[in-house]
Amino acid sequence: MTVALDLIAGSIAGAAQVIVGQPLDTIKTRAQIAPKGMFKGNWDIFIQTVRKEGIFALYKGMLSPLLGIAGVNSLLFASYAVSKRIVSPFPEKSLKEIALAGGMAGAANAILASPVEMFKVRMQGQYGAAGDQRLRAVFAEVAKDGLRRGVMRGYWVTVAREIPAYAAFYAGFEYQKRRWLATHPNQSIPVYALVGSGSFGGICYWLACYPLDVIKSRVQLAKTPPSGINYIANEFRTILSTQGFKGLFIGLAPSLLRTIPAAGATFAMFELSHEYLSKHTKL
């Protein structure tokens, strides 16, 4: 029953995350993958995107995560709940145990997150040209390369990203939430504190994994699938040689700006919907 609650509440939270955060996610992804010299910075990406493609271009690629986020977030929150029980049978967990459970949930989450991210990046990597493809055409093109080299391209770098990211995500959220509860004993945590704790967790998420996210986006957008088991290291060296160390953090600013409302909305919606379903359903 608890898993069912996590699945439903996770779906609701995931939809809120996508709707709130998609515009800045588009700017972040374009900063990571755009050809050198195409944009002058994050603000220029925003201006050119709106001017040339219209305001709704900021939501380009949203259909893939919006359709897939129910499964992704359901898997994430359910895996996290199960992982916490595996890590320790006791209800009170240390922050180290929370981080371990979060990392385990992240590894499981990569199974669905990898293909969802693949199609989102492909859609965001189109700049309003006449030959831009719809999601159905992108799917058909990617599927030609098969499951491993096409649909699941970038799976291992996604796993490498998700483990530290969600360890930091859940530990950051729990740390901030516990700080609030410690200063307000015997009180239920309000929505604004949940939003703030979720936002802090989201910032921890990106700081823990951002270079790997840059590598993932570039691998998933590349015309040819990666070969060999060292493709993560190869792409890392390519970024360093062409853009320098700063290339590993390009687009970080819109990611952090996006995560403040998006992660806050995710945790707040999860906690609130979970509480509501517990009270008003038989689950």
Side-chain angles (χ1 to χ4, degrees), residues 2 15 43 56-57 59 69 103 123 129 133 136 138 142 151 203 229 250 252 255:
T2 302
W43 182 248
F56 290 109
Y59 289 89
I69 202 69
M123 293 298 293
Q133 299 172 312
R136 179 168 43 184
V138 171
V142 170
V151 176
I203 292 170
I229 60 174
I250 192 167
L252 178 60
S255 295

Side-chain angles (χ1 to χ4, degrees), residues 63-85:
L63 184 59
S64 171
L66 196 58
L67 292 175
I69 202 69
V72 171
N73 262 44
S74 294
L75 178 60
L76 174 64
F77 280 99
S79 298
Y80 177 60
V82 172
S83 297
K84 285 196 296 183
R85 291 193 286 271

Side-chain angles (χ1 to χ4, degrees), residues 178-198:
R178 291 179 185 185
R179 281 191 63 189
W180 191 94
L181 291 171
T183 56
H184 301 78
N186 304 317
Q187 293 186 35
S188 298
I189 187 165
V191 173
Y192 75 84
L194 287 173
V195 171
S197 299

Side-chain angles (χ1 to χ4, degrees), residues 54-133:
I55 190 69
F56 290 109
L58 294 172
Y59 289 89
K60 187 174 285 187
M62 188 175 79
L63 184 59
S64 171
L66 196 58
L67 292 175
I69 202 69
V72 171
N73 262 44
S74 294
L75 178 60
L76 174 64
F77 280 99
S79 298
Y80 177 60
V82 172
S83 297
K84 285 196 296 183
R85 291 193 286 271
I86 293 172
V87 168
S88 172
F90 302 105
E92 292 298 323
K93 309 285 194 299
S94 69
L95 288 179
K96 289 182 179 179
E97 290 171 332
I98 292 291
L100 177 58
M104 293 166 63
N109 187 60
I111 296 171
L112 290 181
S114 183
V116 168
E117 288 274 318
M118 174 70 177
F119 295 115
K120 176 181 72 68
V121 168
R122 288 278 176 147
M123 293 298 293
Q124 291 171 327
Q126 300 183 117
Y127 302 98
D132 280 2
Q133 299 172 312

